[in-house]
Amino acid sequence: MTWTVGVDVGGSFTDFFAVNEHDGRTAVHKVLSTPQNPAQAIIQGLREMCDDHGIATHAISRFSHGTTVGTNALIQRKGARVALVTTSGFRDLLEIGRQTRPSIFSLQLDHPAPLVPRGLCFELDERTGPGGEIVRSPSDVGILETIDRVRESGVDACAVCFLFSFAADSNERRIAAALRKGIPGLYVSRSSDIYPEIREFERFSTTVLNAYLQPVFDEYLTTLESVLGEIIPSAAIGINQSNGGLTSIGTGRDYPVRTILSGPAAGVLGSIHVALESSYKNVITLDMGGTSADVGLVREGEADLSTSRDVAGFPVRLPMIDIHTVGAGGGSVAWIDRDGLLKVGPRSAGADPGPACYGRGGVEPTVSDANAVLGRLDPSGLLGGKMKIDLDAARNAIRLVAEPIGHSVEATALGISDIVVANMVRAVRRISVERGYDPRDYTLMSFGGAGGLHAVEVGRMLGIRKVVVPHSPGILCAMGLVVADMKEDLVRSTRLPVTDGNLESLRPVLEGLAKDLDDWFEAERIPGCDRDCQIALDMRFVGQNHELRVPLPDASVDSAPSGSRLTDMFLTEHRRCYGYANADDRIEIINVRLTGFGRRRRDSSRERKRSNRELKCPRPVTVRPVLFDIATDTPADTPVFDREVLEPGQWLRGPAVVRQLDSTTILGPGDILLVDEHRNLVIDVS
């Protein structure tokens, strides 16, 4: 068994990438997503890919999956009916929140309503102290009464969230076990199991989200596991997490909240893999798909991580690859606002009916329709000609917004393209300029089905001089799943002043985390030679409200840095983030983090061809008119090249169109493209 398959389910397409671990052969495939039943597109595409590329299903040993099921259920509010059991006096915590406003200049916009209405929040008379002392255990009578109330409410799932349970979880464990025993079939999530960390509101919110998604995710994974068991019975199934690592299907079923950014995280992993192969350590990733554009920042070959963010308006406290998402995809709908101005997104036409140019019944103007009108999409069709382009339908759709603003169809299409580029530029600035990084010091890694159509313009507006388009840009998220490691994040909260004497107290915390990590290694059957771990500390000045994550690359469970070394590391990180640090202020540790990896041993999955000379520009397969600038008034006759025939060392000068199965890349006039040894398109932006 030699094949590993990665499958990423997107808003418009479901992507497949397979690699033969023995000889390095690869296979790619795309099918339209089936939003009502994502498993349908997975099964269809898997069978088609195996038939088209001669892959024996019994030869597939590993199946890695990036899923949007949990995300979509949360966005569409189609999760389970959830109850909350909490400490007496805290039933309103989800409603009160943090007293922050989602939009500081809006007097009307409010936070979304809690997923658990007040009538389903049940209090239990128990109390744990901040130091982990059990002040009051719940009585047997109180537990039985709570079980009866949860049963009578008819909920599908229940979140158990007690105050200070991150310090001692015996009370949570007791009521959770009683609920499972007393109400068979009830999904129970307890906060000390989901993520035992300080900040009760974020911990409660994350636990409720997990309970809300559990029934939906369990049903989906059970169906998928059953069907895949018939097609690829020998394959180990891995589910990608928001932290950029795989987990088993059982863990994914228990912790669906970990998969909320599953697909975008896989794209960053694929970008890192491609970037390091080509010796790019600092890149900005731009993943433009059918529904959204996801941007991330990679420094020294590592993606930035965030431990706290909002998803669909709800705070989530879990380690996630730091990705900023905007509604700027190929299916993003153009519309006229009340002020009479043209806007694009965030609403998307999705996969069904999709953009008008797809000929599947869509009538609204989208970014893809604009690209079709401008001549940037191949008129003969996408996916190798399998999906025809309906140019008349695209023009009719664009006309719906062109006439109200008094512009031609072509000028409006170019305006739609400019607006979606501006939306993505703002997203890139959000994760770079606003955090102290100059995007001009980075290479732009463009991928996603629509990324190559706009990446050069995004780079030009940001002052980025080099854009890299991987060999299979529309499939890169699926490729990221193939190269992903197994990963588990563990955390313990402990408030500890940073002094040499106090750091001895870290040892028992680290030893406890290490024991939990060993249990995970054994449960996931990770061989000893593939095991690895990393330690990080959340630190802050005493009196600050938020912490900074400080990695300890050379530390181990048995050997931690000295207090002075930790102080220097924290001050350096504080200066990098905020521009200053007071060396005289006291510093404290708030959280200890231990991340475990099941490293994936692999060779390069892509063909390498070195060339010591630049080859001549290849011959185009055709020439077609493409509109780049409305000021010229006429489209430019633009050569079109098939990507599969481009050889390492060859170069092109724009304007040009490079087409392939999963994406299209556009070069503006004067842009220069070179094919590197890994068959990436490296574009010098003029």
Side-chain angles (χ1 to χ4, degrees):
M1 294 186 292
T2 55
W3 287 91
T4 296
V5 176
V7 178
D8 176 59
V9 178
S12 298
F13 292 97
T14 296
D15 303 328
F16 297 78
F17 183 91
V19 59
N20 188 306
E21 303 289 356
H22 178 66
D23 57 22
R25 284 183 296 148
T26 61
V28 297
H29 193 66
K30 285 178 86 80
V31 296
L32 281 169
S33 295
T34 50
Q36 299 305 318
N37 181 10
Q40 181 180 337
I42 293 175
I43 301 307
Q44 173 194 341
L46 183 61
R47 285 177 169 151
E48 289 179 1
M49 183 181 67
C50 289
D51 290 342
D52 292 348
H53 296 276
I55 300 174
T57 54
H58 66 267
I60 298 175
S61 60
R62 187 166 175 255
F63 180 93
S64 302
H65 179 29
T67 175
T68 57
V69 170
T71 313
N72 293 339
L74 182 57
I75 292 173
Q76 300 170 22
R77 301 295 190 269
K78 292 185 178 179
R81 192 162 182 259
V82 182
L84 170 67
V85 176
T86 188
T87 303
S88 179
F90 288 85
R91 67 182 298 191
D92 296 313
L93 190 143
L94 290 176
E95 188 81 37
I96 296 171
R98 285 290 178 196
Q99 298 291 303
T100 57
R101 284 158 54 186
S103 180
I104 193 169
F105 297 110
S106 173
L107 299 178
Q108 290 78 33
L109 189 62
D110 201 356
H111 290 284
L115 295 176
V116 184
R118 192 172 191 271
L120 294 179
C121 295
F122 306 119
E123 296 181 343
L124 184 63
D125 187 20
E126 70 81 38
R127 194 58 179 255
T128 300
E133 65 277 12
I134 303 300
V135 178
R136 186 165 55 256
S137 297
S139 66
D140 293 339
V141 173
I143 290 176
L144 291 176
E145 289 177 349
T146 300
I147 293 173
D148 289 340
R149 296 172 71 186
V150 173
R151 183 189 297 111
E152 291 170 2
S153 69
V155 296
D156 306 302
C158 182
V160 179
C161 307
F162 290 161
L163 200 66
F164 296 118
S165 63
F166 64 85
D169 63 355
S170 58
N171 287 353
E172 273 197 1
R173 286 180 178 274
R174 185 178 171 193
I175 184 62
L179 283 167
R180 292 189 179 101
K181 182 178 180 180
I183 311 176
L186 180 72
Y187 293 88
V188 179
S189 297
R190 55 184 178 84
S191 70
S192 56
D193 185 38
I194 301 301
Y195 217 63
E197 193 174 321
I198 64 168
R199 292 196 172 84
E200 66 279 1
F201 172 54
E202 289 78 8
R203 178 163 52 87
F204 281 32
S205 174
T206 305
T207 307
V208 167
L209 288 176
N210 195 75
Y212 183 74
L213 298 175
Q214 262 189 300
V216 176
F217 214 70
D218 185 24
E219 180 182 0
Y220 169 68
L221 288 184
T222 299
T223 302
L224 184 65
E225 187 178 27
S226 174
V227 178
L228 290 177
E230 298 175 2
I231 301 175
I232 48 175
S234 303
I237 301 175
I239 306 298
N240 199 45
Q241 304 174 95
S242 304
N243 63 6
L246 296 174
T247 191
S248 65
I249 198 167
T251 303
R253 184 182 284 115
D254 293 337
Y255 305 100
V257 72
R258 296 185 182 182
T259 70
I260 287 178
L261 296 180
S262 173
V268 175
L269 294 178
S271 296
I272 293 173
H273 180 70
V274 171
L276 292 180
E277 276 190 336
S278 301
S279 301
Y280 299 113
K281 292 185 177 181
N282 298 317
V283 299
I284 291 173
T285 66
L286 172 62
D287 177 7
M288 185 180 182
T291 303
S292 63
D294 305 309
V295 298
L297 189 133
V298 176
R299 293 181 294 136
E300 295 297 320
E302 296 285 343
D304 279 354
L305 287 176
S306 170
T307 56
S308 183
R309 64 172 295 167
D310 283 1
V311 178
F314 299 103
V316 178
R317 186 76 175 177
L318 286 172
M320 294 173 282
I321 289 181
D322 196 3
I323 297 169
H324 184 61
T325 301
V326 290
S332 294
V333 175
W335 52 287
I336 306 296
D337 204 349
R338 290 181 299 176
D339 54 12
L341 298 177
L342 182 65
K343 304 291 176 66
V344 179
R347 191 168 60 86
S348 172
D352 185 16
C357 63
Y358 287 1
R360 295 169 56 86
V363 295
E364 293 184 294
T366 67
V367 174
S368 292
D369 296 314
N371 282 318
V373 168
L374 296 172
R376 300 178 182 183
L377 292 183
D378 195 338
S380 64
L382 306 177
L383 302 181
K386 294 180 181 179
M387 177 184 287
K388 301 300 180 183
I389 293 295
D390 189 337
L391 183 56
D392 290 336
R395 293 185 65 85
N396 290 335
I398 299 297
R399 191 173 287 113
L400 294 176
V401 290
E403 292 180 349
I405 61 177
H407 287 287
S408 67
V409 169
E410 290 76 12
T412 304
L414 197 60
I416 291 172
S417 176
D418 290 343
I419 291 170
V420 80
V421 166
N423 291 343
M424 289 186 284
V425 167
R426 282 196 296 271
V428 172
R429 286 177 175 154
R430 181 79 176 269
I431 57 96
S432 58
V433 176
E434 293 184 14
R435 300 183 186 180
Y437 304 109
D438 189 339
R440 294 172 295 183
D441 297 333
Y442 289 74
T443 297
L444 184 64
M445 180 74 68
S446 166
F447 56 102
L453 291 163
H454 303 280
V456 174
E457 284 304 312
V458 171
R460 200 183 328 270
M461 290 189 68
L462 289 164
I464 295 175
R465 308 303 301 174
K466 185 170 291 185
V467 175
V468 176
V469 182
H471 183 257
S472 299
I475 314 288
L476 196 70
C477 289
M479 193 192 86
L481 295 166
V482 167
V483 301
D485 297 318
M486 299 289 285
K487 190 174 181 180
E488 177 75 353
D489 287 297
L490 302 173
V491 63
R492 292 292 182 273
S493 289
T494 176
R495 192 168 183 178
L496 188 66
V498 176
T499 64
D500 286 329
N502 284 334
L503 291 186
E504 281 300 314
S505 301
L506 274 181
R507 188 182 300 276
V509 178
L510 286 170
E511 288 175 348
L513 290 172
K515 182 181 182 302
D516 292 342
L517 187 59
D518 286 339
D519 293 340
W520 178 77
F521 283 139
E522 293 298 324
E524 298 292 346
R525 300 179 181 178
I526 297 172
C529 57
D530 296 336
R531 298 179 182 183
D532 193 8
C533 68
Q534 293 178 356
I535 299 173
L537 303 177
D538 290 351
M539 303 170 66
R540 68 185 185 186
F541 287 119
V542 174
Q544 281 186 316
N545 193 37
H546 295 284
E547 306 83 42
L548 287 177
R549 182 175 179 270
V550 180
L552 308 181
D554 300 323
S556 67
V557 173
D558 300 321
S559 175
S562 65
S564 58
R565 174 63 177 149
L566 273 183
T567 298
D568 291 342
M569 295 171 72
F570 172 75
L571 294 176
T572 298
E573 184 66 11
H574 201 280
R575 290 190 187 97
R576 187 194 65 77
C577 292
Y578 302 114
Y580 74 96
N582 188 345
D584 296 327
D585 280 355
R586 292 176 297 153
I587 302 169
E588 62 183 354
I589 298 168
I590 298 299
N591 296 312
V592 182
R593 301 184 183 275
L594 183 63
T595 301
F597 299 89
R599 298 296 187 186
R600 177 161 159 67
R601 290 172 289 174
R602 53 187 175 266
D603 296 323
S604 174
S605 61
R606 300 189 301 138
E607 182 182 6
R608 303 184 183 192
K609 288 188 177 181
R610 296 184 179 274
S611 176
N612 294 323
R613 61 188 180 89
E614 289 188 354
L615 303 179
K616 291 182 179 180
C617 178
R619 291 182 177 274
V621 294
T622 187
V623 175
R624 70 168 182 258
V626 177
L627 186 62
F628 291 95
D629 186 355
I630 198 64
T632 61
D633 198 33
T634 56
D637 290 333
T638 304
V640 180
F641 301 87
D642 274 336
R643 177 146 188 192
E644 291 307 313
V645 302
L646 297 182
E647 295 291 335
Q650 287 183 321
W651 62 274
L652 307 172
R653 183 183 296 274
V657 176
V658 180
R659 68 183 188 185
Q660 60 188 107
L661 170 72
D662 55 324
S663 187
T664 301
T665 301
I666 300 293
L667 270 68
D671 297 329
I672 297 175
L673 177 154
L674 176 69
V675 185
D676 74 5
E677 66 187 54
H678 300 285
R679 294 184 175 273
N680 300 314
L681 305 182
V682 181
I683 304 168
D684 288 328
V685 181
S686 62

